């Protein structure tokens, strides 16, 4: 999933956000990802098939609504955590009839910013 993740700095596409929010499984995942969770934890919490979970996480990531964070597992290897990456989503229409989406994000701590950089570096390798 890492290669297709949208940076939290990039504005999400309106249709991507609408598609993600219209999907019941995506909404379930968003409810559960207030705190970081692994895919296995999400499988248990959301009660959806593994292949469906990864497709929905990809949809949410493309919409910039969920971010992934990779950490080093003390036992070896990497562990990926998924976390909701917004506080509020606003969809509006201007006077010309053009729709736009605004995603308000919580401020990231230094540790979170470093984790994002580390995760992006892992994607490059």
């Amino acid at each position: 999933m890492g290669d297709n993740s949208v940076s939290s700095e990039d504005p999400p596409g309106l249709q991507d956000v609408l598609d993600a929010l219209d999907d019941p499984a995506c909404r379930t995942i968003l409810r559960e990802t207030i705190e970081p969770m692994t895919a296995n934890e999400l499988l248990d919490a959301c009660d959806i098939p593994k292949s469906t979970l990864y497709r929905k996480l990809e949809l949410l990531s493309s919409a910039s609504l969920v971010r992934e964070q990779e950490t080093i597992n003390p036992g070896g290897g990497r562990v990926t955590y998924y976390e909701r990456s917004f506080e509020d989503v606003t969809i509006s229409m201007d006077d010309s009839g053009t729709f736009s989406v605004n995603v308000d994000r919580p401020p990231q701590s230094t540790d979170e910013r470093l984790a994002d950089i580390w995760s992006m570096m892992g994607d490059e390798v």
Side-chain angles (χ1 to χ4, degrees):
M1 236 181 82
D3 291 339
N4 297 328
S5 295
V6 178
S7 165
S8 61
E9 301 296 319
D10 296 335
L14 174 64
Q15 194 60 52
D16 290 338
V17 172
L18 292 174
D19 290 344
L21 294 177
D22 187 45
D23 188 293
C26 287
R27 291 193 306 267
T28 299
I29 293 168
L30 288 173
R31 279 188 213 83
E32 296 295 333
T33 54
I34 294 169
E35 295 295 325
M37 297 180 79
T38 65
N40 285 335
E41 292 169 335
L42 283 169
L43 285 171
D44 292 341
C46 298
D47 193 34
I48 58 177
K50 191 174 193 173
S51 61
T52 300
L53 175 71
Y54 283 107
R55 280 196 317 272
K56 302 309 178 180
L57 286 169
E58 182 66 34
L59 183 60
L60 289 164
S61 181
S62 294
S64 276
L65 299 177
V66 165
R67 68 185 196 105
E68 21 177 308
Q69 221 176 333
E70 285 189 356
T71 61
I72 302 298
N73 185 350
R78 294 182 182 183
V79 176
T80 302
Y81 288 91
Y82 301 92
E83 182 177 24
R84 192 170 66 197
S85 65
F86 67 94
E87 290 179 343
D88 192 34
V89 174
T90 306
I91 297 171
S92 57
M93 184 173 65
D94 65 18
D95 293 337
S96 68
T98 302
F99 285 93
S100 63
V101 63
N102 182 46
V103 179
D104 293 328
R105 303 189 188 289
Q108 283 188 310
S109 70
T110 303
D111 289 345
E112 290 171 323
R113 288 193 305 272
L114 286 172
D116 282 349
I117 292 168
W118 177 256
S119 182
M120 285 187 285
M121 287 174 54
D123 292 343
E124 297 293 323
V125 178

